[in-house]
Amino acid sequence: MTGANRIPGAGRLTPAKTARFTFDGKSYTALEGDTVASALLANGVHLVGRSFKYHRPRGVVSAGPEEPNALIGVERDAARQQPNVRATVQEVFDGMKTISQNRYPSLSFDVGSINNLLSPFFAAGFYYKTFMWPKQAWKHIYEPQIRAAAGLGVAPTQEDPDHYASRYAHCDVLVIGGGIAGLSAALAAAKTGARVILCDEQPEVGGAMHYDKSVTVDGVDGFTWAQKTAADLAKMSNVTVLTRTTAFGYYAQNFVALVERVTDHVSKPDRRLPRERMWQVRAKRVIIATGAIERHMVFANNDRPGILQASAARTYLNHFGVAVGRKVGVYTANDSAYEAAFDLKRAGVTVAAIVDCREKPGEAVLAEARSLGIEVLTGHSVIDTSGKLRVAGMSVARNGSTAKRNIAIDALLTSAGWTPSVHMFSQSRGKVAYDAASGAFLPGVYAQDCLSIGACNGTNDLQATIEEALAAGELMAKASGFEAASKVELQAKNAFQWTGGMSGAAEGAGEDTTVKAFIDFQNDVCAKDIRLAVREGMHSIEHIKRFTTNGMATDQGKLSNLHGLAIAAEALGRGIPEVGLTTFRAPYTPVTFGTLISHSRGELFDPTRKTPMHALEEAEGAVFEDVGQWKRAWYYPRAGEDMHQAVNRECKTVRESVGMFDASTLGKIEVVGPDAAAFLNLIYTNSWDTLKPGRCRYGIMLREDGFVYDDGVVGRMAEDRFHVTTTTGGAARVMNHMEDYLQTEFPHLNVWLTSATEQWAVIAVQGPKARDVIASLVEGIDLSNEAFPHMSVREGKICGVPTRLFRMSFTGEMGFEVNVPADFGPAIWEAIRAEVEKAGGCAYGTETMHILRAEKGYIIVGQDTDGTVTPDDASLSWAVGKKKPDFVGIRGLKRPDLVKSGRKQLVGLLTKDPKVVLEEGAQIVADPNQPKPMTMLGHVTSSYWSENCGRSIAMALVVDGKAKLGQTLYVPMPDRTIAVEVSEMVFIDKEGVRLNG
Amino acid sequence: MADLATRTLPLSGFHGGSASASVSPAAPASRLSLRAKPDAVASLSAALGIELPTRPKASASSGGRHALWLGPDEWLIIDETEADLLSSAASSGVMHSATDVSHRNTALLVKGPGAEATLNSGCPQDLSLAIFPVGGCSRTVFGKAEIVLLRTAEDAFRVECWRSFAPYVSGLLAEGAEDSGH
Amino acid sequence: MLLIYCPYCEEERSELEFRGAGDAHIVRPSNIADITDEEFEEFFFLRDNPKGLIFERWRHINGCGRFFNAARDTVSDKFKLTYKAGEPKPDLDAAAPAAALVETYEATESNAK
């Protein structure tokens, strides 16, 4: 048995196919194709949750994505738990566990429901008033308590084991919604040969035909026609049909995001499949066929479990074969609810009465109700309900009268009318217009190449919808350049035309009433709360929304927005269009983070760039540090060494014998063309005309404002070819900076730039024995000081492969940088490694590189400079060509603030206690005893323990630093004040003799 | 010491893909980043033995050599026989910039009915045959990496990327290929 | 995500392939070393940040690599026109004024009485 309320012969599910699931630990049987909601209703379970604020018992209201109440936790296994799943959307799979939310200790006995009794203290806007005093209590009492009480459901604690996919797709026509309108439009568009994507959020297409079984298309049952049409479309090579796929965001230029739920309905999913797949669709044209959502009636205690949309009751009966009650009442302002009564009555359910607040319902439905023997109370309203955990009765009164008649019921179906789903249209930045005749907001001014059709466009007549849809399909395909040979024609019929509808509070919940007539179930917003907001001075609908939180829950007010607006308009004494609708925003329904992130997690979160020699360095035990996307060897600890010991050893080894270093990440740009030198003259402060082929020069690059942008060594390979190096982090932006000037300011120059960073593996060999190490490996290059002096470059071979060999140094020692084509990097590294070993040297990492360069006072752009440092501030004026007529930054350097005194200048700092190592970033003051806030003179930019100096060394930016040489300054720290002496920046080999070996 | 050092390829050992799209590393090739003005195109074409395309997204292929239009003055020349492209370009005698990028780039081959969907897991371009025909090529993005895409057959693409991006690109291609069959 | 027509690739491509590069038609003075502080301020620091039509530079950085110019509406975010670097600033006076369609929370706020 799959539930006592399953009606034999009703619905479209197959009785033989069952699935077991649990809800709050109790086991139930469902049919394949059931949602959790339909399965629970089949088993007589209406109570599924507690409301957010008052903890009132709540039941299923809808049969779709607009559901405000039936939010549950779904558990597949320990790691796969998802809170806030709409039970009306989630399909049952065998073995699934579900739980109710926002209740303690149990759903039927919830201590939080005390809030309901205290509700006078929880009026709209209470957050803003109640917790104002005492001030300190907010942080320590109110906020933690509110945070603990707030929120629905519990987030999973384990990492999400599922994977998610993402795909870009392009089409001529995207059709959002697979109801009769969307299917017809897709059919017409597809016949033209246009590329069509049709998406529908439900497992099966058909839209309203899920509940309206009176529809026939070309004589065929509507739902059956829909399935066949979708299947036919899916067979066409130019069509993609996506079910269980929600269009959740409509962005600029017809960029629409869809989420396809791939495995959430499957009991034992193929783990190769993604759980969800995001489609990022770029459509030439979009057809919006998202239908309409039925509004509930707003009256006292309209939130008891068992009170639901009339159309939802029809869906449960006609699609799932489930009767939502055995004795149902109907309360409506609209003809559509009558059909729910008819369907249920024919299925054997007792219809206690149809209560219609209108004096004159549609004649056809009234006649049909009478012929079925259903009592219709026109001009009457339901003014209250009874029942604790499920509705048990309704109090009915003639409009304007207080005389009540109590009618026993076990379900109450309500309908205030239909709200066109203009969410996608509004997200596209289209402007909605109020249609007074239908009392609805409809698409008005379009902002993008899209078209709304059917119920979301206010078209309710079935045949009119089909004709509008077919025309739209043709039109949109034609606009994309496709035309059909013949027209598609369809004839559809249904049982009744609907009239009527209302928005706002119904009888008994109007002005001056204090009953709880809910408009937003999930956020517990009542009609009276809207009125309170208006009384408190909120006159903009946006303010009213935020004050009351109406429409701000996970359902985004799909049921409540129009009701809230109508009540606000009434209270404000203004018309609905003057008050205006709040803006719809993506996502239409909640989207998992997994889907939004899709592939970008773990190893694929961001590219991790490794040098060609990475594996060898790893094998040698290197510890790596992140430098942008790069992994760089930081230091190479040997057995028993900590970082400090390893770095000290590496530093000493380089100065005493030889070290080797992976410098491959340095940016490299090949600058080629007859005007290459002329171009570099403009880009760098230095002059390049005089640099001979085979020689190198250290260059500084400024921005136009005169501040240091990047630096590096440039080698001239030939008259028309330069090998430019940049900082590791600057490679991409320097390339962009150079391209920008070349293309837009200096396009007359015949020169081209090519990134060669990754063409070359670079191994720096530094130290007194550097030449000895490479001598036996290099062919065709005379390595002597005379033939190959410091700051030179030669082309030759190393171990038989071509090399660009640089004689340069970032350590102050004699140094070479071996550039080889990257694939050869590992082999050359190993060959050099063997020679270094023989010479008693070692490999060193970036930490040692940093210390060795600091010992020599070589700056690192971006560490010792921060975008406000001029060449002069960094004592690099020698690199600025004084006679050059132009270079980028030449004018910036002359700006008054850049030449005046009092600038921060780069200097060395020596702590009075040589054992104390300053913290980088620490502030510097002249007088540590001055009152706070102290006058800061600058900060420490680089600071290290230098084993070679036997003491700490530091570099700092200090106001007028160069004039303060020898002076004592102070670095105040939380626990002490450190005295320092301002020094020159070169701490070792001031004469630079070591460069020559 | 004149022994030629051994090469270590950035994607050695990688193989991936699914029944709908295979993803495999391409063999080493020689590559040139070639830059020149329009008046040099004819001479460079003659010197390289391949017609440099002058239309956007166009490529030319002949005997394992490919010339890909990347920009109005930029081509990527790929030679699968590892011929000396630099010397050929130099022999043109016309003004140009040629830079050897044989080792800067590496390539992956994506092949199968799901190849298009595999690429679209990270590439935002419309890869339908009408818009991106066989021989079509473009520099573009694939997830967070830059790639150069060349369609070599209706169901096959060559994906060029910088070597350090190869693990990322191959990893995302493998995921895309897995998803492309469904 | 915007689509941008690259005048060199002669095709609309995803915004992901592009990078913005600030205002267009600001020419670096050929005598930049000699200009006054005021002229340098005007050239380097001052920008209009208009509501409506703006001329700006973009680079098809992950495409053909070219810098080009674009006329864009800062209210609707729509590109009116893109054209090659070095081409003169087009006359768009005939074009419609900035679309007044966009409804944002901020816009609604400012209209709130």
Side-chain angles (χ1 to χ4, degrees):
Chain A
M1 189 64 192
T2 60
N5 295 317
R6 200 76 73 170
I7 306 291
R12 303 185 180 105
L13 308 186
T14 309
K17 295 185 176 171
T18 61
R20 298 287 296 171
F21 76 107
T22 66
F23 177 63
D24 282 345
K26 191 171 173 202
S27 183
Y28 298 95
T29 304
L31 290 181
E32 247 179 51
D34 260 327
T35 61
V36 175
S38 69
L40 288 174
L41 291 172
N43 287 284
V45 179
H46 272 267
L47 173 66
V48 289
R50 290 272 175 173
S51 70
F52 185 59
K53 194 160 116 184
Y54 301 137
H55 288 247
R56 285 169 68 104
R58 290 286 167 76
V60 174
V61 168
S62 74
E66 66 269 38
E67 177 63 35
N69 282 346
L71 301 182
I72 55 168
V74 173
E75 184 184 329
R76 195 182 273 280
D77 53 44
R80 293 179 172 88
Q81 303 186 19
Q82 192 181 359
N84 295 332
V85 175
R86 287 152 299 154
T88 53
V89 171
Q90 174 66 53
E91 295 165 68
V92 172
F93 59 82
D94 195 53
M96 113 193 277
K97 290 181 194 165
T98 64
I99 51 163
S100 59
Q101 301 182 156
N102 206 33
R103 83 291 187 269
Y104 177 85
S106 76
L107 188 54
S108 52
F109 177 74
D110 170 26
V111 295
S113 60
I114 188 81
N115 283 6
N116 190 34
L117 300 176
L118 298 173
S119 63
F121 302 104
F122 291 105
F126 81 103
Y127 292 104
Y128 308 119
K129 300 173 200 160
T130 313
F131 305 115
M132 301 302 285
W133 183 92
K135 199 176 162 192
Q136 295 83 350
W138 174 257
K139 192 171 173 190
H140 301 291
I141 300 169
Y142 297 144
E143 189 179 356
Q145 287 296 319
I146 290 170
R147 288 201 183 281
L152 295 162
V154 180
T157 52
Q158 293 186 31
E159 186 181 349
D160 186 348
D162 287 317
H163 70 278
Y164 300 78
S166 172
R167 199 178 291 181
Y168 291 98
H170 295 75
C171 64
D172 297 301
V173 182
L174 168 67
V175 182
I176 304 172
I180 197 161
L183 285 166
S184 304
L187 201 54
K191 283 277 163 74
T192 68
R195 280 190 290 169
V196 175
I197 296 176
L198 169 71
C199 70
D200 189 274
E201 63 191 338
Q202 301 208 55
E204 291 164 300
V205 296
M209 292 179 286
H210 278 85
Y211 63 79
D212 192 348
K213 64 173 188 178
S214 77
V215 175
T216 60
V217 183
D218 287 346
V220 178
D221 163 62
F223 191 82
T224 308
W225 172 84
Q227 306 319 309
K228 182 175 183 317
T229 301
D232 291 348
L233 283 168
K235 280 184 207 137
M236 297 171 75
S237 63
N238 57 323
V239 181
T240 304
V241 177
L242 300 169
T243 52
R244 296 188 180 90
T245 303
T246 305
F248 67 83
Y250 196 133
Y251 306 94
Q253 289 168 287
N254 279 349
F255 191 66
V256 183
L258 321 177
V259 56
E260 180 184 4
R261 289 170 292 279
V262 182
T263 60
D264 266 2
H265 62 289
V266 183
S267 180
K268 291 184 176 61
D270 177 348
R271 289 293 175 216
R272 288 172 305 174
L273 288 173
R275 179 176 167 225
E276 295 179 334
R277 180 183 292 123
M278 180 162 67
W279 292 79
Q280 301 185 71
V281 180
R282 183 74 72 173
K284 289 207 179 84
R285 295 291 185 279
V286 176
I287 294 174
I288 305 170
T290 46
I293 292 170
E294 194 174 30
R295 292 189 301 280
H296 61 289
M297 292 293 285
V298 178
F299 58 101
N301 296 311
N302 61 341
D303 66 328
R304 293 189 201 281
I307 305 180
L308 62 167
Q309 292 168 333
S311 60
R314 286 184 86 191
T315 300
Y316 289 120
L317 179 67
N318 295 334
H319 188 76
F320 297 104
V322 173
V324 297
R326 289 296 170 179
K327 190 180 185 195
V328 302
V330 175
Y331 178 30
T332 186
N334 172 42
D335 291 353
S336 63
Y338 284 70
E339 290 205 59
F342 305 159
D343 290 350
L344 283 161
K345 174 89 180 174
R346 289 197 182 98
V349 171
T350 301
V351 177
I354 297 175
V355 181
D356 193 327
C357 66
R358 300 170 299 171
E359 294 293 342
K360 284 190 190 309
E363 284 174 20
V365 291
L366 191 58
E368 179 76 2
R370 298 224 159 105
S371 81
L372 283 168
I374 299 171
E375 184 182 8
V376 181
L377 299 164
T378 59
H380 281 66
S381 295
V382 176
I383 56 168
D384 203 357
T385 64
S386 61
K388 189 164 173 262
L389 298 177
R390 179 166 173 185
V391 68
M394 58 178 180
S395 302
V396 179
R398 173 147 258 301
N399 292 346
S401 157
T402 51
K404 288 193 290 189
R405 173 181 155 196
N406 294 323
I407 303 174
I409 50 170
D410 61 1
L412 177 57
L413 319 183
T414 86
S415 175
W418 293 80
T419 309
S421 284
V422 293
H423 305 74
M424 284 290 121
F425 171 79
S426 179
Q427 281 189 28
S428 81
R429 292 183 157 192
K431 204 172 168 67
V432 294
Y434 187 68
D435 178 55
S438 61
F441 283 95
L442 300 176
V445 182
Y446 281 84
Q448 296 200 39
D449 292 329
C450 61
L451 209 49
S452 296
I453 56 169
C456 73
N457 193 37
T459 307
N460 294 320
D461 178 81
L462 189 63
Q463 188 60 29
T465 290
I466 284 183
E467 277 157 23
E468 184 175 273
L470 293 172
E474 270 180 46
L475 179 73
M476 294 314 233
K478 193 175 173 185
S480 308
F482 294 87
E483 238 169 311
S486 62
K487 284 191 176 306
V488 181
E489 285 186 27
L490 296 168
Q491 289 296 323
K493 287 200 185 81
N494 61 344
F496 295 97
Q497 293 290 325
W498 299 338
T499 64
M502 70 172 294
S503 48
E507 192 81 8
E511 287 192 74
D512 304 324
T513 62
T514 57
V515 296
K516 284 205 181 76
F518 288 89
I519 54 175
D520 184 326
F521 293 116
Q522 202 180 123
N523 268 356
D524 277 337
V525 180
C526 297
K528 62 179 174 149
D529 296 322
I530 303 283
R531 296 189 196 104
L532 174 68
V534 171
R535 281 203 304 277
E536 300 247 340
M538 309 298 142
H539 291 177
S540 151
I541 194 67
E542 297 286 358
H543 292 155
I544 292 167
K545 170 179 171 172
R546 280 157 186 81
F547 190 79
T548 61
T549 70
N550 187 41
M552 287 172 68
T554 64
D555 63 331
Q556 290 196 9
K558 291 185 176 67
L559 298 179
S560 69
N561 278 345
L562 202 60
H563 283 316
L565 172 56
I567 294 163
E570 189 187 15
L572 287 163
R574 283 152 60 188
I576 285 177
E578 286 84 75
V579 176
L581 209 52
T582 53
T583 309
F584 294 89
R585 299 195 190 279
Y588 171 71
T589 48
V591 181
T592 60
F593 283 114
T595 293
L596 297 176
I597 294 162
S598 68
H599 300 290
S600 300
R601 57 188 287 191
E603 296 276 292
L604 297 180
F605 173 68
D606 202 39
T608 300
R609 304 175 69 181
K610 293 176 181 171
T611 73
M613 288 83 81
H614 185 93
L616 294 176
E617 293 158 16
E618 205 167 27
E620 194 166 339
V623 176
F624 292 87
E625 70 166 339
D626 291 336
V627 181
Q629 290 175 324
W630 287 105
K631 293 278 180 202
R632 299 196 71 182
W634 192 12
Y635 58 97
Y636 293 80
R638 290 182 178 166
E641 281 183 343
D642 62 15
M643 177 177 176
H644 187 66
Q645 290 163 330
V647 168
N648 286 347
R649 171 182 51 76
E650 291 172 17
C651 284
K652 280 195 92 69
T653 305
V654 173
R655 296 234 183 271
E656 285 168 8
S657 63
V658 63
M660 61 188 293
F661 173 71
D662 181 354
S664 304
T665 63
L666 278 190
K668 298 165 214 69
I669 301 169
E670 195 95 333
V671 179
V672 182
D675 293 329
F679 176 68
L680 294 181
N681 279 340
L682 288 163
I683 289 295
Y684 285 92
T685 60
N686 319 59
S687 178
W688 300 93
D689 295 326
T690 53
L691 187 72
K692 293 192 168 56
R695 296 308 304 264
C696 306
R697 183 167 288 167
Y698 170 76
I700 298 174
M701 192 181 292
L702 308 181
R703 294 186 313 211
E704 205 69 86
D705 56 12
F707 294 130
V708 175
Y709 188 63
D710 204 71
D711 68 351
V713 169
V714 178
R716 190 167 200 166
M717 308 309 299
E719 275 299 322
D720 64 348
R721 184 180 291 263
F722 289 82
H723 179 118
V724 168
T725 66
T726 74
T727 56
T728 295
R733 66 181 160 76
V734 166
M735 182 76 181
N736 191 58
H737 170 85
M738 288 170 66
E739 274 290 345
D740 192 345
Y741 275 98
L742 178 56
Q743 289 186 35
T744 64
E745 299 295 351
F746 315 131
H748 56 282
L749 297 178
N750 287 313
V751 58
W752 289 274
L753 314 172
T754 305
S755 172
T757 302
E758 299 223 41
Q759 169 67 16
W760 304 103
V762 185
I763 303 161
V765 184
Q766 306 273 314
K769 295 183 183 170
R771 186 186 287 120
D772 305 341
V773 159
I774 62 166
S776 62
L777 308 175
V778 172
E779 294 168 71
I781 302 172
D782 181 346
L783 298 177
S784 66
N785 274 341
E786 298 68 35
F788 192 24
H790 180 58
M791 293 306 263
S792 304
V793 58
R794 298 285 181 271
E795 289 184 278
K797 289 200 166 174
I798 184 164
C799 305
V801 304
T803 178
R804 283 183 181 175
L805 183 64
F806 285 77
R807 175 84 194 272
M808 56 187 272
S809 173
F810 198 44
T811 58
E813 300 299 320
M814 174 170 66
F816 298 89
E817 291 199 358
V818 180
N819 286 245
V820 290
D823 285 352
F824 294 114
I828 305 302
W829 175 273
E830 285 193 302
I832 295 176
R833 187 77 191 83
E835 296 299 318
V836 164
E837 194 73 33
K838 282 188 225 160
C842 68
Y844 65 94
T846 51
E847 186 65 19
T848 291
M849 178 269 282
H850 276 128
I851 295 171
L852 296 176
R853 65 90 204 177
E855 289 173 351
K856 288 292 298 175
Y858 299 149
I859 67 162
I860 290 184
V861 171
Q863 174 163 341
D864 302 302
T865 71
D866 60 3
T868 67
V869 175
T870 68
D872 185 57
D873 296 340
S875 296
L876 293 169
S877 294
W878 58 267
V880 180
K882 305 294 181 296
K883 292 178 189 154
K884 289 174 69 176
D886 194 6
F887 59 84
V888 174
I890 190 168
R891 180 60 187 81
L893 281 179
K894 297 178 192 166
R895 293 193 289 139
D897 280 359
L898 270 66
V899 295
K900 75 174 183 187
S901 63
R903 290 194 59 77
K904 286 184 184 169
Q905 296 169 325
L906 212 49
V907 290
L909 288 185
L910 292 170
T911 50
K912 298 275 180 181
D913 177 353
K915 299 239 174 326
V916 172
V917 181
L918 295 168
E919 272 189 36
E920 288 174 359
Q923 297 288 322
I924 300 159
V925 301
D927 171 12
N929 300 315
Q930 64 186 298
K932 293 175 187 170
M934 297 189 190
T935 302
M936 303 295 182
L937 294 180
H939 68 275
V940 179
T941 61
S942 293
S943 175
Y944 311 94
W945 172 259
S946 165
E947 187 74 359
N948 289 312
C949 297
R951 59 159 300 132
S952 71
I953 58 169
M955 292 158 79
L957 279 167
V958 176
V959 171
D960 283 330
K962 283 185 262 185
K964 290 192 168 75
L965 287 183
Q967 290 184 21
T968 299
L969 299 175
Y970 298 89
V971 178
M973 299 302 291
D975 56 341
R976 58 182 167 162
T977 294
I978 303 165
V980 296
E981 184 184 314
V982 179
S983 73
E984 291 188 344
M985 279 199 295
V986 185
F987 302 99
I988 271 183
D989 186 25
K990 289 187 169 53
E991 300 73 29
V993 296
R994 300 182 67 92
L995 288 167
N996 297 317
Chain B
M1 174 154 183
D3 294 353
L4 195 65
T6 51
R7 279 180 85 161
T8 308
L9 301 176
L11 283 163
S12 59
F14 172 83
H15 56 90
S18 64
S20 59
S22 63
V23 181
S24 53
S30 54
R31 299 176 178 88
L32 212 57
S33 170
L34 183 65
R35 311 291 298 271
K37 301 201 166 176
D39 58 8
V41 168
S43 300
L44 282 164
S45 295
L48 287 163
I50 193 163
E51 202 63 35
L52 295 180
T54 52
R55 294 289 311 148
K57 272 169 82 174
S59 73
S61 290
S62 160
R65 184 170 291 190
H66 314 276
L68 284 63
W69 186 99
L70 293 187
D73 68 349
E74 182 179 3
W75 296 265
L76 175 64
I77 316 293
I78 303 168
D79 189 289
E80 296 182 67
T81 67
E82 297 193 78
D84 180 0
L85 294 166
L86 209 53
S87 300
S88 300
S91 72
S92 69
V94 292
M95 187 174 74
H96 69 280
S97 156
T99 301
D100 183 5
V101 293
S102 307
H103 292 237
R104 180 190 76 177
N105 285 18
T106 189
L108 288 133
L109 305 175
V110 182
K111 188 168 170 50
E116 220 175 275
T118 300
L119 265 310
N120 273 139
S121 66
C123 174
Q125 284 202 32
D126 186 345
L127 300 177
S128 62
L129 275 166
I131 306 292
F132 208 103
V134 175
C137 66
S138 173
R139 187 156 46 202
T140 181
V141 293
F142 184 62
K144 295 173 183 173
E146 180 182 278
I147 59 166
V148 170
L149 197 56
L150 170 66
R151 187 172 213 142
T152 53
E154 290 204 0
D155 66 344
F157 293 87
R158 181 183 181 95
V159 181
E160 291 262 328
C161 66
W162 289 7
R163 60 183 302 124
S164 71
F165 289 93
Y168 173 85
V169 170
S170 57
L172 185 51
L173 282 173
E175 282 201 8
E178 186 62 60
D179 190 50
S180 72
H182 308 291
Chain C
M1 196 163 61
L2 300 171
L3 280 177
I4 302 173
Y5 183 87
C6 173
Y8 295 95
C9 294
E10 297 171 19
E11 192 172 67
E12 280 191 324
R13 296 278 186 84
S14 161
E15 185 184 340
L16 296 174
E17 293 184 0
F18 297 84
R19 183 180 296 172
D23 285 18
H25 300 293
I26 292 168
V27 181
R28 185 175 184 272
S30 56
N31 62 335
I32 191 164
D34 304 321
I35 62 175
T36 64
D37 283 341
E38 290 70 30
E39 286 166 334
F40 184 76
E41 178 191 38
E42 179 68 28
F43 157 70
F44 189 73
F45 290 110
L46 301 183
R47 298 293 182 268
D48 290 337
N49 192 23
K51 180 176 183 179
L53 187 65
I54 189 169
F55 292 89
E56 58 191 7
R57 304 183 322 127
W58 285 78
R59 184 179 181 203
H60 196 182
I61 188 165
N62 296 120
C64 66
R66 296 294 94 190
F67 282 84
F68 60 90
N69 294 331
R72 188 175 60 89
D73 187 323
T74 58
V75 179
S76 69
D77 237 9
K78 279 183 181 155
F79 282 84
K80 305 261 183 215
L81 187 70
T82 57
Y83 50 101
K84 292 180 179 176
E87 287 180 4
K89 191 172 184 170
D91 179 14
L92 288 181
D93 287 348
L101 280 178
V102 182
E103 186 151 307
T104 62
Y105 169 61
E106 292 72 22
T108 311
E109 276 279 76
S110 63
N111 292 336
K113 295 188 180 71

